[in-house]
């Protein structure tokens, strides 16, 4: 029941950890043959959170941006976890007593999927996030929580390194500027020589909502717009009025909705010509991008991992590959989802990087 659930209150970038958690749970429920995260499914049942009502501008729209086939894009991005799991399992097969570190852990549940009964696991995040994590996921045996920034080098001294170190940094480094990222890798090389790290990074500087839509082939974009309109409807019914006012204020059309209810918006929309709708979409997208700047994904991008090796000669590249490499395009996935995965990999939208430091 709703009153038994835990209210999670986070803001800014920290709130996106809920997007990742709910994305993994949704993927698990809809396509368990591809990826299954039992702990994520369990957790979302405990949490009282509705992205449609979030104070983060347009969070509910971004979170629920759908592909046909009942998956949001956040659920598809959650397949990153499958790639990380495979790399971690391969490492601990050779280093069964290794230390594994999840940076900017949020409500990451990788430990529960890959634990071999011997590893020591560290989840690191900012104090407010660790407080939420402890409330929902008390530290199991062999798991240590560290309430620090990943840019505070003192956390490195809290990690045992006797049988190797493997670090994962999912969906975090692109939030920061290049000088910070560069110093971060030098810190790893200073403290964990011979250790390994896996992370993801976009390869382009255009990671905004418009760029997201443009990842779809041309013939799919009309369907994406239709799906987005359905998402906006759900968001409209719960979003703070201030956000709806911001969206309306961004419109440059000659007419605007005459009231604040969804029915007023729908009536206005249906009266627009195709050309006016196209202009309105451009206004919406510009507003999404402007007001979602607090998330700031894509500050740092990486096209070729060898760039990092040039920063510090101690760092070597083990692997670099597109997000959906070797992930089955099973017939149970809709054609649109399979096409999106193919297009994303071909366009280099997001890559998985595996380094030795």
């Amino acid at each position: 029941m709703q009153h038994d659930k835990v209210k999670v209150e986070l803001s800014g970038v920290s709130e996106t950890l809920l997007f990742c958690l709910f994305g993994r749970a949704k993927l698990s429920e809809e396509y368990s043959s591809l990826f299954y995260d039992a702990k994520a499914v369990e957790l979302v049942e405990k949490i009282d959170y509705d992205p449609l009502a979030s104070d983060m501008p347009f969070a509910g729209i971004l979170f629920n941006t759908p592909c046909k086939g009942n998956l949001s894009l956040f659920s598809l991005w959650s397949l990153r976890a499958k790639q990380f799991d495979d790399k971690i399992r391969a490492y601990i097969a050779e280093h069964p007593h290794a230390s594994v570190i999840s940076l900017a852990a949020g409500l990451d549940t990788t430990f529960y999927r890959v634990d071999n009964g011997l590893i020591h696991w560290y989840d690191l995040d900012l104090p407010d996030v660790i407080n939420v994590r402890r409330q929902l996921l008390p530290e199991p045996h062999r798991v240590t929580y560290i309430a620090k920034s990943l840019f505070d080098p003192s956390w490195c001294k809290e990690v045992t390194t006797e049988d190797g170190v493997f670090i994962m940094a999912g969906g975090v480094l692109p939030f920061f500027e290049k000088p910070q990222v560069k110093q971060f890798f030098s810190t790893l090389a200073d403290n964990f020589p011979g250790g390994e790290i896996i992370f993801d990074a976009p390869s382009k500087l255009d990671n905004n909502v418009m760029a997201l839509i443009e990842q779809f082939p041309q013939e799919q974009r009309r369907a994406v717009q239709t799906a987005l309109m359905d998402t906006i409807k759900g968001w409209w019914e719960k979003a703070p009025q201030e956000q709806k006012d911001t969206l309306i204020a961004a419109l440059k059309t000659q007419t605007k909705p005459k009231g604040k209810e969804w029915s007023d918006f729908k009536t206005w929309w249906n009266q627009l010509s195709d050309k006016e709708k196209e202009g309105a979409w451009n206004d919406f997208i510009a507003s999404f991008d402007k007001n979602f700047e607090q998330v700031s994904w894509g500050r740092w991008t990486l096209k070729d991992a060898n760039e990092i090796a040039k920063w510090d000669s101690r760092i070597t590249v083990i692997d670099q590959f597109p997000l959906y490499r070797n992930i089955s395009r099973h017939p149970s996935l809709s054609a649109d989802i399979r096409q999106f995965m193919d297009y994303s990999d071909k366009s280099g939208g997001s890559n998985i990087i595996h380094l030795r430091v």
Side-chain angles (χ1 to χ4, degrees):
M1 295 177 64
Q2 186 71 18
H3 63 270
D4 294 325
K5 294 191 175 185
V6 177
K7 185 72 173 178
V8 176
E9 296 183 356
L10 295 167
S11 60
V13 173
S14 294
E15 188 175 343
T16 62
L17 69 87
L18 294 167
F19 293 9
C20 297
L21 173 67
F22 277 68
R24 294 196 308 276
K26 183 68 171 177
L27 181 65
S28 299
E29 291 171 344
E30 298 293 336
Y31 294 101
S32 59
S33 61
L34 273 184
F35 175 83
Y36 191 74
D37 187 336
K39 184 60 71 171
V41 173
E42 175 189 324
L43 270 181
V44 297
E45 292 300 317
K46 297 181 179 180
I47 296 173
D48 177 10
Y49 175 72
D50 186 350
L52 294 173
S54 171
D55 288 333
M56 180 183 289
F58 310 131
I61 297 176
L62 182 65
F63 178 79
N64 287 288
T65 301
C67 291
K68 286 183 180 178
N70 203 27
L71 277 183
S72 73
L73 293 177
F74 263 96
S75 293
L76 282 178
W77 286 329
S78 296
L79 285 168
R80 171 186 67 200
K82 176 176 172 57
Q83 303 284 23
F84 282 22
D85 288 2
D86 290 345
K87 289 289 189 178
I88 294 170
R89 289 191 181 106
Y91 186 85
I92 64 178
E94 297 184 5
H95 305 270
H97 295 271
S99 291
V100 184
I101 310 164
S102 176
L103 298 180
L107 291 174
D108 175 64
T109 47
T110 308
F111 171 78
Y112 300 90
R113 299 191 303 271
V114 305
D115 180 34
N116 64 355
L118 299 170
I119 56 174
H120 195 100
W121 190 277
Y122 298 85
D123 286 306
L124 179 144
D125 215 317
L126 298 173
D128 61 333
V129 176
I130 291 296
N131 287 339
V132 170
R133 186 175 181 88
R134 281 201 171 102
Q135 183 181 12
L136 293 166
L137 285 170
E139 286 155 289
H141 179 56
R142 291 178 290 104
V143 174
T144 301
Y145 291 170
I146 303 175
K148 293 182 179 179
S149 164
L150 64 99
F151 296 109
D152 176 356
S154 68
W155 68 261
C156 300
K157 305 304 180 184
E158 301 185 35
V159 176
T160 301
T161 61
E162 282 80 0
D163 191 28
V165 174
F166 193 96
I167 302 165
M168 56 176 282
V172 58
L173 295 179
F175 284 115
F176 300 97
E177 302 290 350
K178 180 177 177 179
Q180 292 174 287
V181 178
K182 190 173 182 180
Q183 181 57 51
F184 165 76
F185 281 109
S186 292
T187 297
L188 295 187
D190 289 341
N191 289 276
F192 305 115
E196 298 181 17
I197 180 172
I198 188 169
F199 61 96
D200 61 314
S203 63
K204 303 175 183 178
L205 275 171
D206 58 1
N207 279 263
N208 49 36
V209 178
M210 182 65 79
L212 180 64
I213 292 175
E214 288 177 352
Q215 289 187 59
F216 290 91
Q218 182 65 44
E219 63 271 18
Q220 279 186 267
R221 293 180 193 172
R222 179 67 67 181
V224 172
Q225 287 185 352
T226 300
L228 268 173
M229 183 58 73
D230 290 339
T231 301
I232 291 174
K233 178 180 184 293
W235 168 81
W236 194 278
E237 293 171 347
K238 296 183 178 181
Q241 186 60 48
E242 181 182 358
Q243 293 185 33
K244 292 185 280 189
D245 291 342
T246 298
L247 192 65
I248 295 301
L251 289 169
K252 299 176 183 176
T253 51
Q254 289 186 346
T255 62
K256 293 186 179 183
K258 295 182 178 180
K260 295 186 177 182
E261 302 300 321
W262 174 253
S263 58
D264 300 312
F265 185 94
K266 185 177 180 180
T267 297
W268 164 80
W269 179 261
N270 289 337
Q271 292 174 346
L272 296 179
S273 66
D274 288 345
K275 184 176 180 180
E276 288 173 326
K277 287 180 179 178
E278 190 66 30
W281 270 117
N282 291 335
D283 295 339
F284 290 158
I285 298 304
S287 184
F288 295 163
D289 289 337
K290 179 180 179 181
N291 288 278
F292 213 73
E293 286 177 356
Q294 61 176 286
V295 174
S296 301
W297 175 262
R299 286 183 178 180
W300 176 65
T301 63
L302 183 68
K303 187 173 183 179
D304 185 350
N306 288 300
E307 178 184 345
I308 300 177
K310 293 177 181 177
W311 294 348
D312 192 316
S313 61
R314 297 171 292 178
I315 298 173
T316 57
V317 178
I318 298 175
D319 201 1
Q320 173 176 337
F321 55 93
L323 177 59
Y324 302 112
R325 185 187 75 174
N326 295 335
I327 292 180
S328 172
R329 271 53 164 180
H330 193 274
S332 63
L333 293 170
S334 73
D336 284 352
I337 290 175
R338 285 183 273 124
Q339 190 173 25
F340 173 80
M341 293 166 69
D342 290 341
Y343 190 81
S344 176
D345 281 357
K346 289 177 182 178
S347 66
S350 186
N351 291 315
I352 307 291
I353 314 296
H354 185 187
L355 307 177
R356 182 173 291 111
V357 297

